[in-house]
Amino acid sequence: MKAAANRAQDLIDEEFPSVYRPLIPAALKRAYAAADQAVDQLEFLGTPSGRFQRGDLVVLATEFEFLKLVKEGHLPFDPVWEDYASATGKHLVLRSPGANITINQVDYPHKKPRWAKFRDEMAVPTADYLFPEWNAARSEDESRKHVLLLHGHGQLRFSNLSVPHPSENRLVWWTEDLLKLPHEVEAAFGGTGGEGPTESPDAELIDDIIKTVRDGR
């Protein structure tokens, strides 16, 4: 008997193909290392209360790393910045042909982020726009699925790609731990051109984090 199709797994395989996934562990490790270095260099984060902000620095560093991978041509996504469900800031969304991919810290691998329904909570106009092409673009955007790239938390203990349930506080399906993937991706890309940045934190990233913290996000 033919195995039943797993539509959630198929979605992830289509929108974040496995050939690109070996880039994830190295990017996350660079981000966590850069956040730690920023904490060490910012004296006011050396207090017990200041060190609680490390998670926010990990967010900034992770967004930077994946944005850089996209801009350098290592990941085939369109990066956009969208508001959180409550207007407290913006976050990076990686748009694939059929999904919005968001990057989220969670306490354990199979937990749905508490703000994962941000797209459902955003106001969507019900009236048609004046121009037909605007209506077509809105219809296409509303049909996008949501894929989560989970990692965390505190220490980098795990990472996976998952599909959240649209209405319940749970995940529908998730991949195995992506941190277990080999970091050498030369064979997968057929050459050194797809290896992406190295494991070392980027000095530019650390400077950007420090500047963002000092200036306010």
Side-chain angles (χ1 to χ4, degrees):
M1 179 181 294
K2 185 178 179 181
N6 185 329
R7 297 175 65 183
Q9 180 178 358
D10 291 343
L11 172 68
I12 291 178
D13 288 341
E14 291 171 5
E15 305 304 329
F16 205 124
S18 59
V19 68
Y20 298 108
R21 296 176 200 172
L23 293 170
I24 294 175
L28 291 174
K29 288 181 179 180
R30 289 192 303 271
Y32 277 70
D36 287 336
Q37 289 193 23
V39 169
D40 291 339
Q41 293 181 32
L42 286 167
E43 186 175 356
F44 67 85
L45 290 179
T47 65
S49 61
R51 290 191 175 276
F52 274 104
Q53 306 306 312
R54 177 178 173 273
D56 293 331
L57 301 185
V58 170
V59 171
L60 295 173
T62 303
E63 290 178 340
F64 180 95
E65 288 291 350
F66 281 90
L67 182 65
K68 187 173 181 180
L69 286 171
V70 170
K71 288 185 173 180
E72 293 181 351
H74 303 300
L75 288 176
F77 305 127
D78 293 323
V80 297
W81 296 92
E82 293 192 355
D83 293 325
Y84 286 107
S86 57
T88 56
K90 293 183 178 293
H91 64 103
L92 177 65
V93 178
L94 303 176
R95 291 195 174 187
S96 64
N100 286 330
I101 303 167
T102 61
I103 307 168
N104 312 268
Q105 292 184 83
V106 290
D107 296 327
Y108 54 90
H110 308 150
K111 179 179 180 180
K112 179 179 176 179
R114 60 190 175 101
W115 53 269
K117 287 182 62 180
F118 71 95
R119 286 186 57 78
D120 296 333
E121 295 169 357
M122 293 176 64
V124 178
T126 57
D128 286 342
Y129 289 123
L130 179 61
F131 301 105
E133 59 268 25
W134 291 7
N135 291 315
R138 185 183 70 184
S139 176
E140 178 182 355
D141 187 62
E142 290 175 3
S143 68
R144 289 176 177 272
K145 305 301 182 183
H146 191 184
V147 173
L148 305 173
L149 198 172
L150 302 180
H151 65 91
H153 179 269
Q155 300 302 317
L156 181 58
R157 297 179 286 108
F158 61 85
S159 177
N160 63 51
L161 290 163
S162 62
V163 176
H165 193 282
S167 59
E168 299 177 10
N169 187 28
R170 64 182 179 88
L171 301 177
V172 175
W173 186 84
W174 53 87
T175 66
E176 294 184 359
D177 189 355
L178 300 174
L179 297 184
K180 297 178 181 179
L181 292 175
H183 296 179
E184 294 291 331
V185 295
E186 178 177 351
F189 282 86
T192 57
E195 289 183 358
T198 63
E199 292 276 351
S200 301
D202 192 330
E204 177 187 356
L205 166 57
I206 299 170
D207 290 342
D208 284 350
I209 293 175
I210 292 174
K211 184 177 186 300
T212 299
V213 173
R214 285 175 174 165
D215 296 345
R217 196 173 182 188

